[in-house]
């Protein structure tokens, strides 16, 4: 395999909490829309939105327990 011509760029610095909270807010907005639609939509979508709200909270809790949140390297 030939050697790469350029060095790999450094990894991007991303505020993970902000990204996860933005996605969670979008799931919450979708849940509100589905609740307003009532019985016109399948309940699977409602539970999908609930999972999209709860699972990021679990993920952030695990990241906090591992010490991955709040570090500024």
């Amino acid at each position: 395999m030939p050697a790469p011509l350029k060095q790999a760029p450094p990894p991007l610095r991303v505020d993970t909490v902000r990204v996860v909270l933005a996605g969670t807010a979008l799931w919450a907005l979708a849940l509100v829309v589905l609740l307003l639609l009532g019985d016109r939509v399948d309940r699977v979508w409602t539970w999908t939105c609930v999972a999209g709200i709860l699972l990021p909270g679990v993920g952030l809790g695990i990241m906090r327990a591992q010490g991955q949140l709040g570090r500024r390297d």
Side-chain angles (χ1 to χ4, degrees), residues 22-43:
T24 305
L26 291 174
W27 280 114
L29 178 64
L31 178 63
V32 169
V33 170
L34 289 174
L35 291 175
L36 289 174
L37 291 174
D39 290 336
R40 290 179 271 181
V41 294
D42 192 4
R43 287 291 168 208

Side-chain angles (χ1 to χ4, degrees), residues 1-2 10 39 42-43 54 63 72:
M1 180 189 298
D39 290 336
D42 192 4
R43 287 291 168 208
L54 295 178
M63 289 175 66
R72 298 285 178 204

Side-chain angles (χ1 to χ4, degrees), residues 2-25:
L5 300 176
K6 295 181 181 179
Q7 288 184 344
L12 294 175
R13 298 179 66 108
V14 177
D15 186 4
T16 308
V17 175
R18 185 174 289 172
V19 172
V20 170
L21 291 179
T24 305

